[in-house]
Amino acid sequence: MDEEAVFLSLMCWMGTKRRWSVVDRRWFRSLIVLDGPLSIITIEAGWWMAVVGRQPWVFLKTSDTATSSGQVDLMLMLFSGLYVIPGIRTIVVLS
């Protein structure tokens, strides 16, 4: 969860408990609704800037960057396990 969502949720919860008038205003509720899509846009923009930002510095052919290591299959299995195990645990917890 991003910091903005935590901050807005905490502010809304505290504001409701302390009867702040700001939590009843339309602009605050709109900010809460927009926080989800804006968070995704921020994550994607950061990823895009990281990928596009390093591209001008790569002056190699694709064939020169491919690995010749014999451990690729092992690493594929380890990374797959790294994502499959938490995925199964999430499904079990949410079921």
Side-chain angles (χ1 to χ4, degrees), residues 10 30 32 37 48:
L10 184 62
S30 298
I32 291 174
W48 186 80

Side-chain angles (χ1 to χ4, degrees), residues 1-3 16 29 34-35 47 50 53 62 83:
M1 197 175 212
D2 61 336
E3 292 85 17
T16 303
R29 296 192 186 252
L34 290 175
D35 187 53
W47 176 84
T62 306
Y83 287 102

Side-chain angles (χ1 to χ4, degrees), residues 10-25:
L10 184 62
M11 189 172 171
C12 187
W13 179 75
M14 283 179 44
T16 303
K17 291 288 185 188
R18 295 182 179 194
R19 293 185 172 87
W20 292 344
S21 63
V22 71
V23 296
D24 293 328
R25 296 204 176 136

